Amino acid sequence: MEAKLISSAQNPLVKNIILLKDKSRERRKTGLFVVEGQREIELALKGGYVLQTLLFCPELMGTTSIEAFTNTTNPEIIQVSESVYHRIAHRGTTEGLMGLMQSKNHALENISFTNKTPLVLVAEAPEKPGNIGALLRTADAAAVDAVLIANPKSDLYSPNIIRSSVGCLFTNQIGVGTTDEIIAFLQTNQINIYCAALTASKNYVECDFKAASALVMGTEATGLTEKWLQNSDQNIIIPMQGEIDSMNVSVSAAILIFEAKRQRGF
C-alpha cells in the first residue's frame, strides 16, 4: 500500500489538522474533526462515521496494522514522521494513528427509537469537557437510547470531549437542540420528564422509570432552568447524607440511570 509521506511541520495538511484540533469554528466550517488512537477510530467507524484521511507513524504503531481501517472506507492514507505526529497529536499515547472524520448532523429529527419505552439522558448547558465525556461514558455503559444536549456550551467534536469520553461520543445516539426544542421532542414522543432538582422533588428510588423516561440533568452551579421545571412530570432528588447538597453531574446521572436500568431488569 503506497502512502504519501509528510515530514515537514510546515505542510498545509499539518497546519489544517492543528486548526481542526484547536478551533471549533474550523470544525464547523469544514465538517471535519480529528480522532486519535486505534480504539477511538474503530468506535467511530462502528458508529457510522466516515473516515476521510488516515495518518500513521510507523515508529509509534507497534504491531497495529492500518489495513483494518482501510478495507471498507477507502480513506486517503498518509504516512507522517515521528516529529510531525508529535506536532499534531493531542495525546502522547495514541498508537501513532490519527484520522480526519466527517462530523454528523445531530438534529433532533434524526433521533429514532427502536425501544418502545426509551430511556433518555438529557443534559442542559453542559460546559466542561470532562463532565460531557463522563456523561457519554455512563450513557454507553447503560446503553441508553439517546443522549440529548440542550443549549450546548462546548463543541461535541472538541479533542477534550473525544478524549474524556474514551470514544463514547461515537457509540451514543446524540441529539442537540434548545431547551424548548428538546422539551417539545420529548412530549411529542410521550416520554416522561424527570428533572433532577432540589425543590418539589421525590426520592428517585420511589419513582417508576419503566415507562418511556427522560432523566434531565442541569449544571452543578445553577441546576436546571425554570423552563424544565415547568414542564417536569416529576422532579427527583438523590438524598444527601453528608454536609454537601450536590454531587458531580456525571455521578448523579449514573445513579439515576442505573436505578432506571435496575427497574427495567437491566
Side-chain angles (χ1 to χ4, degrees):
M1 180 183 299
E2 292 189 12
K4 178 181 177 181
L5 173 63
I6 294 178
S7 58
S8 170
Q10 301 307 311
N11 184 280
L13 179 60
V14 172
K15 294 180 178 180
N16 288 341
I17 291 172
I18 293 171
L19 277 176
L20 286 172
K21 281 172 45 189
D22 296 342
K23 304 293 183 182
S24 61
R25 182 174 62 182
E26 190 70 14
R27 294 191 289 270
R28 288 193 298 270
K29 183 177 77 173
T30 61
L32 297 172
F33 65 99
V34 180
V35 185
E36 294 179 44
Q38 178 179 350
R39 176 179 58 184
E40 284 83 351
I41 294 174
E42 288 174 344
L43 289 174
L45 290 173
K46 188 176 180 180
Y49 284 81
V50 175
L51 177 62
Q52 183 185 88
T53 304
L54 180 68
L55 301 99
F56 70 99
C57 177
E59 293 84 358
L60 301 174
M61 287 178 60
T63 59
T64 304
S65 170
I66 66 172
E67 271 69 22
F69 308 108
T70 60
N71 289 339
T72 57
T73 59
N74 195 31
E76 180 183 16
I77 308 297
I78 297 177
Q79 180 179 335
V80 297
S81 65
E82 191 170 353
S83 62
V84 167
Y85 190 85
H86 287 308
R87 180 76 177 89
I88 60 179
H90 188 68
R91 294 182 285 154
T93 55
T94 50
E95 303 97 14
L97 284 172
M98 178 178 297
L100 298 185
M101 294 272 188
Q102 295 178 16
S103 57
K104 285 187 176 183
N105 183 342
H106 294 287
L108 294 174
E109 56 261 32
N110 294 328
I111 298 294
S112 61
F113 299 115
T114 56
N115 182 358
K116 293 182 179 179
T117 57
L119 178 62
V120 177
L121 172 63
V122 180
E124 185 183 35
E127 186 170 7
K128 297 177 181 177
N131 281 343
I132 297 170
L135 286 168
L136 293 172
R137 291 178 71 174
T138 297
D140 174 87
V144 302
D145 296 285
V147 177
L148 306 182
I149 300 179
N151 309 328
K153 301 294 184 184
S154 298
D155 175 12
L156 278 177
Y157 295 107
S158 158
N160 289 322
I161 290 179
I162 296 173
R163 178 183 62 180
S164 62
S165 76
V166 293
C168 291
L169 171 65
F170 311 124
T171 64
N172 287 289
Q173 182 175 212
I174 301 174
V176 175
T178 66
T179 285
D180 286 340
E181 289 169 344
I182 291 179
I183 289 172
F185 173 85
L186 295 172
Q187 292 174 339
T188 298
N189 286 277
Q190 299 181 309
I191 299 174
N192 295 324
I193 297 174
Y194 294 94
C195 291
L198 295 176
T199 58
S201 298
K202 189 175 182 180
N203 189 322
Y204 76 104
V205 298
E206 298 173 1
C207 298
D208 185 350
F209 300 121
K210 291 189 288 294
S213 303
L215 303 172
V216 188
M217 314 299 300
T219 66
E220 295 171 27
T222 59
L224 290 166
T225 56
E226 188 62 29
K227 191 76 173 182
W228 278 108
L229 303 181
Q230 291 170 354
N231 287 275
S232 177
D233 292 298
Q234 176 64 60
N235 290 352
I236 54 177
I237 193 169
I238 301 170
M240 300 285 124
Q241 297 183 328
E243 297 297 326
I244 62 171
D245 62 2
S246 68
M247 291 184 293
N248 175 275
V249 63
S250 62
V251 174
S252 298
I255 292 170
L256 299 177
I257 288 171
F258 276 93
E259 169 58 19
K261 295 292 290 189
R262 183 195 67 80
Q263 292 184 14
R264 293 163 176 240
F266 295 100

